[in-house]
Amino acid sequence: MPEDLPQVAQLDELQAVQPDREAGQVFESSTSGISSYIHSPNASPEIMQFSMKLQPDSQNSSWAIYQLAFPGSQLDAFAPGYSINADTELYLGIADYASGRWQFAPAPEPQQQVEISPSQRSPDGRTYICLLATGSGNATVHSIGTTLDNGWQTSLTGVELPGYIVQSPLGAVTVAGHPAVCYFSTAGLMYLRCDSADGLQANDWGSPVLAAPGAKGQWIDMQIVNGNPAIAYHDSDIGHLRYLRCLTETGMQEAEWPAPVKIDDSTGNHVAECSLATVAGNPAIAYYSMDTDLTYSRSSTADGMGSTDWQQALVLYSGGGVSALNPSLKLIRGKPAVSFLDKQNGRQCFMAADTDTGSKLSAWPSQPAVVADGDSIEHNWSSLEIVNGEPSMRFMYLNNAESPNVRLLFRQSRAGVGNENQDWTYSVAHYQQASPGSGMLSSVGMGEYFISAFFADAGSKLSIYNSIYYPDSDTYGFYSESPDSSDFPARTVKLFLQEDAPALFYVRDDDSLVYARD
């Protein structure tokens, strides 16, 4: 072992390092001018790529220490990628919390996996490694591959949905502590609630309930409205946007689901996409109306089940053509706000009301804020979330003037309420393949975390992108996880929160309706 080890061998010094550094960031080095790693846009999210030259001399070694930390995941193994010349020896050190010392050994072959033992994880799950070069040549470290145990577990619900496609979304929410999902079948609108809060055992899933017989459609949103599950959906057979709220908090019997009420007629040749939320105690819906406008309607009652409850509908934006796709309704600082895709004009947009109810047109801005515009903003069901108290969203984006690659764009408003274009200046992008097809994205916000489930097209596997927030730089990074170890592509997905953790339902290419949770 080299005698001139860096003076960081004691773990109390390691623990004093700022804990919110980026996964894989170099936090100490003998080489001046080192910056944190640069993630290659085209690399796998599990491979951190950078370029760092370690150049020792006859008097001194050259070294760099890396912190490997992935919130929500456990690092099981890593594989350093490097090249060295004949006059150099490279050593790998791993901080060991059982002995309180670094454990050094000759570095493994490039790209060879090194397994992590429990004693090599800090109490908060971080692993520290040191690459140390000696001799008269140099070594270049260019990547660190990682193997993660991300904690996701899956369970088959027993439901088969042959022919379910991307244009047939799911509704999902926690109902009285248990995961629940709704979907269309040949019999109508179905509702399935797990018999337990866990949902991962074979006997956890019972029989689905027929909530709306005969209903057929291509859009669903399910939320909890005043304690009970409620569903908004487009009935394609009769061209209606409809709504129903269960009579009980669990909805386990068909008799507990009353006949739906009509919100709007949508007789045009399009899908009445909708987003349901509780606004000032009453259910409210933002939707793509029959005249292709962005429309907002809030019920005059707390359950929304009266035939006259939905008579006040406000047209918030009319941009001509297909101008109000993919509405996502959320409460921003206690007031209703909606994001949507103005596909006609190639813009992702946002509007926030300045009253608690948003029930008057004067409460909304006359024009939406443009979050992003470009050659093509893909219709992939992006969603609006609150992250670190700020409105945030992800969506597919292409602007050939900036790059020929499609990007999965994250944007956040950090000024005002988001109603001005200049409010949406913060941006992070992931590059995707050039032709993402009709991909789908579903998201949830968890405090400082933005979590999204995404697949690029109907032949792609599902990925989960978790954000990492770095308070010292006020920036975000993203890394991916796979919620299902099977090789089946995804058809549709819905992400939600179950017991304060991410969970999802999705339909695999083998027709199975799958439940997964982190």
Side-chain angles (χ1 to χ4, degrees):
M1 181 184 298
E3 295 180 356
D4 54 342
L5 294 180
Q7 299 301 306
V8 289
Q10 297 303 317
L11 293 187
D12 56 352
E13 294 184 37
L14 290 179
Q15 291 169 320
V17 174
Q18 295 183 20
D20 291 307
R21 301 260 183 172
E22 191 166 358
Q25 182 174 352
V26 176
F27 69 85
E28 192 160 355
S29 172
S30 63
T31 306
S32 61
I34 294 299
S35 61
S36 60
Y37 81 84
I38 301 172
H39 189 283
S40 170
N42 297 314
S44 163
E46 290 79 25
I47 301 177
M48 296 168 291
Q49 294 193 338
F50 50 91
S51 181
M52 173 175 290
K53 181 173 286 189
L54 302 178
Q55 195 155 3
D57 56 35
S58 59
Q59 302 296 320
N60 300 288
S61 62
S62 181
W63 50 269
I65 297 174
Y66 302 85
Q67 175 184 257
L68 305 180
F70 301 85
S73 297
Q74 175 179 280
L75 177 68
D76 283 347
F78 68 94
Y82 64 89
S83 60
I84 60 175
N85 61 27
D87 299 321
T88 306
E89 292 183 345
L90 189 66
Y91 295 85
L92 170 67
I94 305 176
D96 182 76
Y97 282 79
S99 64
R101 303 289 296 176
W102 287 93
Q103 295 178 339
F104 274 88
E109 293 297 317
Q111 311 298 343
Q112 179 179 329
Q113 280 207 342
V114 179
E115 294 186 359
I116 296 298
S117 68
S119 68
Q120 294 169 339
R121 301 187 187 99
S122 71
D124 53 3
R126 291 171 169 81
T127 294
Y128 299 92
I129 67 172
C130 177
L131 289 169
L132 183 147
T134 64
S136 58
N138 60 69
T140 300
V141 185
H142 54 74
S143 68
I144 300 177
T146 58
T147 300
L148 305 177
D149 180 357
N150 55 41
W152 282 91
Q153 300 179 72
T154 61
S155 174
L156 296 177
T157 64
V159 173
E160 301 291 321
L161 295 173
Y164 226 69
I165 57 174
V166 173
Q167 286 77 17
S168 299
L170 306 168
V173 72
T174 296
V175 176
H178 296 195
V181 61
C182 59
Y183 55 90
F184 289 111
S185 77
T186 55
L189 179 64
M190 309 300 295
Y191 168 84
L192 175 63
R193 176 177 177 264
C194 187
D195 293 335
S196 73
D198 181 47
L200 298 174
Q201 309 305 317
N203 58 355
D204 283 347
W205 298 94
S207 299
V209 172
L210 182 59
K216 297 179 181 179
Q218 293 181 310
W219 197 266
I220 310 173
D221 193 14
M222 180 165 63
Q223 301 294 335
I224 300 299
V225 173
N226 290 305
N228 296 359
I231 305 170
Y233 69 97
H234 174 248
D235 193 321
S236 58
D237 267 9
I238 57 177
H240 288 179
L241 176 64
R242 311 192 107 190
Y243 167 88
L244 70 162
R245 175 179 175 269
C246 188
L247 300 175
T248 69
E249 68 173 5
T250 61
M252 301 297 284
Q253 303 295 327
E254 290 184 14
E256 298 169 3
W257 291 90
V261 296
K262 182 182 74 173
I263 306 298
D264 200 350
D265 298 320
S266 51
T267 54
N269 185 23
H270 65 276
V271 177
E273 301 175 356
C274 60
S275 181
L276 174 65
T278 298
V279 176
N282 293 4
I285 301 176
Y287 62 98
Y288 174 42
S289 61
M290 62 179 293
D291 46 14
T292 71
D293 295 331
L294 175 66
T295 304
Y296 170 82
S297 184
R298 177 176 174 268
S299 171
S300 58
T301 68
D303 61 16
M305 288 304 296
S307 59
T308 61
D309 289 352
W310 299 88
Q311 292 186 338
Q312 188 177 18
L314 306 176
V315 175
L316 301 185
Y317 176 70
S318 180
V322 182
S323 60
L325 292 172
N326 182 31
S328 182
L329 178 64
K330 293 290 191 300
L331 291 184
I332 307 290
R333 303 180 184 94
K335 297 177 174 63
V338 60
S339 66
F340 63 97
L341 170 62
D342 179 3
K343 188 171 184 178
Q344 185 75 13
N345 299 295
R347 311 186 307 176
Q348 184 73 26
C349 298
F350 173 88
M351 306 178 78
D354 60 12
T355 65
D356 292 345
T357 63
S359 294
K360 294 183 178 180
L361 195 59
S362 58
W364 297 85
S366 58
Q367 291 294 318
V370 178
V371 177
D373 59 359
D375 301 323
S376 174
I377 298 180
E378 297 291 334
H379 182 196
N380 71 335
W381 296 278
S382 65
S383 58
L384 175 66
E385 304 295 343
I386 310 302
V387 182
N388 269 339
E390 304 291 353
S392 310
M393 66 182 81
R394 296 195 85 182
F395 47 92
M396 293 296 289
Y397 174 76
L398 173 64
N399 189 335
N400 283 310
E402 300 174 1
S403 170
N405 296 311
V406 174
R407 284 172 282 170
L408 186 59
L409 197 63
F410 172 80
R411 283 261 162 105
Q412 185 176 69
S413 170
R414 294 188 168 183
V417 296
N419 279 334
E420 302 294 335
N421 295 359
Q422 59 267 27
D423 293 348
W424 295 87
T425 55
Y426 183 77
S427 181
V428 179
H430 271 118
Y431 287 83
Q432 303 293 329
Q433 62 265 41
S435 299
S438 54
M440 188 171 185
L441 184 149
S442 177
S443 301
V444 293
M446 290 178 57
E448 67 182 36
Y449 298 104
F450 190 102
I451 304 165
S452 52
F454 174 77
F455 60 91
D457 53 47
S460 299
K461 287 189 64 175
L462 182 66
S463 293
I464 305 295
Y465 290 92
N466 288 343
S467 69
I468 310 172
Y469 178 61
Y470 316 124
D472 54 347
S473 58
D474 201 21
T475 60
Y476 292 89
F478 288 84
Y479 68 95
S480 76
E481 300 175 340
S482 178
D484 191 343
S485 60
S486 72
D487 292 326
F488 293 107
R491 287 181 180 165
T492 187
V493 62
K494 181 63 176 179
L495 190 65
F496 66 107
L497 294 179
Q498 170 66 19
E499 296 182 322
D500 297 322
L504 59 86
F505 288 94
Y506 87 102
V507 179
R508 296 192 315 204
D509 199 48
D510 65 347
D511 300 334
S512 298
L513 176 63
V514 181
Y515 170 70
R517 61 175 295 178
D518 193 355

